Amino acid sequence: MKFGLFYEMFVPSADPEAEARIVRNTVDQIVHADKHGFDYVWLSEHHFLQGFSHMSAPEVIFGAAAYQTDRIRFGFGLALTPPAYNHPVRVAEKVSMLDCLSGGRVDLGCGRSTTPAELYGFGLDPDESRGQWSEGLEAVAHLLAEENVEFDGRYVTIPRRTVVPRPVQKPHPPLWVGGVGPGDAERAAKKGLGMLFFAHRADYEVLTASTAAYHENIDKAEPICGMVNNQTAGFVNGLVSYDRDEVRQLAARKTVEHTFNGSTHRLAGWPAGEPPNSYAHLRSGENAWVNEAIAMDRATAEDFMTEGGFVMAGNPDDCAPFLDAFQKSGVDQVIIHMQMGDMPHDRIMESIEIMGGELIPHYR
């Protein structure tokens, strides 16, 4: 099983000097992870989400880390491929440039975003977002894999052009998509995409059902440019330290802070007062009740984080059962989010080092 780190770059509003420091700390943590056995780092593109995510230009962070690392792979997790956000040519150019700079260590995960601030901020109709995502991804894949590409779609038209530089990986870097359930897994597999299971908590029954749905359909894949990326990855908030009780309390508190901030961005700001049908999943399930539980009783919610599978925290013995379950569920990679809330830099560096020394070697 492979191991990755995940970042959204939470910045506390109370500290005006935190933003630049956290940007630099993120690069240092990626370099540290490369030295301690991590295989991937995933950065999620977001816009306008003050506090929750200041990761508006992942490729800049990746570029700073590329020349300081040897083996870790750089995953866009997720790049926003609807043309309203990013023209496919610009996505392909950034991915290709980074692939050259890193010596072929780029993976491209894609998505459509789930917040009204981003959707309406870029003038994107939520009901068109899935179609825009699919068309944008198709155009990007062709631009990466082929020369003299001409594309005539519903949302974007590109005259015959060749993107330069050309990517190192052929026909193109591995492509992924984000989602949470079996339906998403089935759609990903049929397109030949790797599946990133981004969920609030490590629900292993759901994860096992999703990986099964993925593997049942991957052999029937019809990839855009002939390349199947047969990989799955599961997500968990996590922090490891030897001071067990303190780190569990810290991780629970920061997970609540991060989760509540993110849920607020996803649920607030819709013109009709609630998400439209194309984002109906935000109105129910974990997205809704987690936000309500935190708002009603934050202390109880913090206690529930470590007991309910929302955060993997404690010493190595506490964390091993989480990783065992990921491995048994059949995922190829576990992605750990350590920078939840404004987690102190030294805690993340310590956690990376302990993970690399005491846990990762047991799952190779």
Side-chain angles (χ1 to χ4, degrees):
M1 189 166 64
K2 297 177 182 177
F3 285 78
L5 289 177
F6 176 79
Y7 289 84
E8 284 174 311
M9 199 176 287
F10 186 102
V11 175
S13 58
D15 184 356
E17 298 181 357
E19 192 168 48
R21 182 178 69 250
I22 290 171
V23 169
R24 295 191 297 270
N25 286 349
T26 300
V27 176
D28 290 342
Q29 290 161 22
I30 294 170
V31 173
H32 198 54
D34 179 66
K35 295 176 180 177
H36 290 280
F38 280 80
D39 305 283
Y40 282 81
V41 58
W42 297 90
L43 305 186
S44 184
E45 177 190 348
H46 283 298
H47 305 277
F48 314 124
L49 307 186
Q50 287 180 288
F52 177 66
S53 176
H54 291 227
M55 188 68 74
S56 56
E59 66 277 3
V60 177
I61 302 294
F62 286 145
Y67 255 39
Q68 302 180 65
T69 55
D70 296 315
R71 56 179 299 276
I72 199 166
R73 294 187 64 86
F74 304 117
F76 289 85
L78 305 164
L80 301 178
T81 56
Y85 290 120
N86 296 298
H87 193 285
V89 168
R90 296 296 292 128
V91 177
E93 288 173 341
K94 289 185 285 189
V95 169
S96 292
M97 186 69 77
L98 181 61
D99 209 42
C100 290
L101 184 64
S102 65
R105 289 187 280 147
V106 179
D107 285 53
L108 177 59
C110 61
R112 58 176 179 145
S113 131
T114 59
T115 72
E118 293 172 292
L119 290 161
Y120 296 116
F122 282 85
L124 178 55
D125 181 347
D127 291 330
E128 300 284 347
S129 62
R130 193 182 296 278
Q132 283 218 12
W133 158 77
S134 181
E135 183 174 297
L137 173 62
E138 181 181 357
V140 169
H142 283 293
L143 289 164
L144 288 170
E146 303 163 4
E147 298 183 10
N148 297 314
V149 173
E150 185 174 10
F151 192 89
D152 186 14
R154 178 179 177 185
Y155 303 105
V156 66
T157 298
I158 305 170
R160 191 174 300 278
R161 295 290 188 273
T162 297
V163 162
V164 291
R166 305 301 301 153
V168 172
Q169 299 175 89
K170 306 299 182 186
H172 54 68
L175 302 178
W176 302 69
V177 66
V180 295
D184 291 328
E186 183 178 347
R187 283 190 290 270
K190 288 182 176 179
K191 284 182 173 287
L193 305 173
M195 186 68 212
L196 298 164
F197 296 107
F198 289 145
H200 279 298
R201 66 189 176 110
D203 187 323
Y204 298 106
E205 291 185 3
V206 172
L207 191 59
T208 300
S210 297
T211 54
Y214 182 87
H215 291 300
E216 287 171 5
N217 289 279
I218 193 65
D219 290 339
K220 298 175 283 188
E222 297 181 3
I224 300 169
C225 294
M227 176 183 170
V228 174
N229 180 27
N230 184 1
Q231 295 188 77
T232 59
F235 169 93
V236 66
N237 294 298
L239 199 70
V240 190
S241 179
Y242 297 119
D243 53 356
R244 180 180 187 272
D245 293 340
E246 183 177 342
V247 78
R248 284 169 68 85
Q249 293 173 5
L250 175 64
R253 186 170 69 252
K254 296 302 182 183
T255 299
V256 164
E257 180 181 10
H258 192 92
T259 301
F260 184 73
N261 199 304
S263 294
T264 299
H265 278 295
R266 283 187 287 271
L267 293 172
W270 296 101
E274 61 179 21
N277 289 336
S278 55
Y279 286 88
H281 61 285
L282 299 179
R283 296 196 297 257
S284 60
E286 290 178 0
N287 282 294
W289 67 256
V290 166
N291 204 51
E292 292 173 3
I294 293 172
M296 290 176 60
D297 188 345
R298 185 168 288 234
T300 300
E302 289 176 5
D303 291 338
F304 184 64
M305 284 294 163
T306 51
E307 304 302 324
F310 286 87
V311 59
M312 175 186 73
N315 60 36
D317 288 340
D318 292 312
C319 296
F322 280 81
L323 302 178
D324 291 343
F326 272 111
Q327 189 174 53
K328 291 176 183 177
S329 73
V331 299
D332 301 296
Q333 178 185 165
V334 57
I335 302 172
I336 304 169
H337 181 209
M338 298 184 185
Q339 198 195 47
M340 55 276 200
D342 60 333
M343 183 65 68
H345 175 61
D346 60 345
R347 282 294 195 179
I348 297 174
M349 296 290 274
E350 176 195 37
S351 183
I352 289 170
E353 192 165 339
I354 295 173
M355 284 286 304
E358 297 203 24
L359 288 168
I360 290 178
H362 294 291
Y363 297 90
R364 294 304 194 194

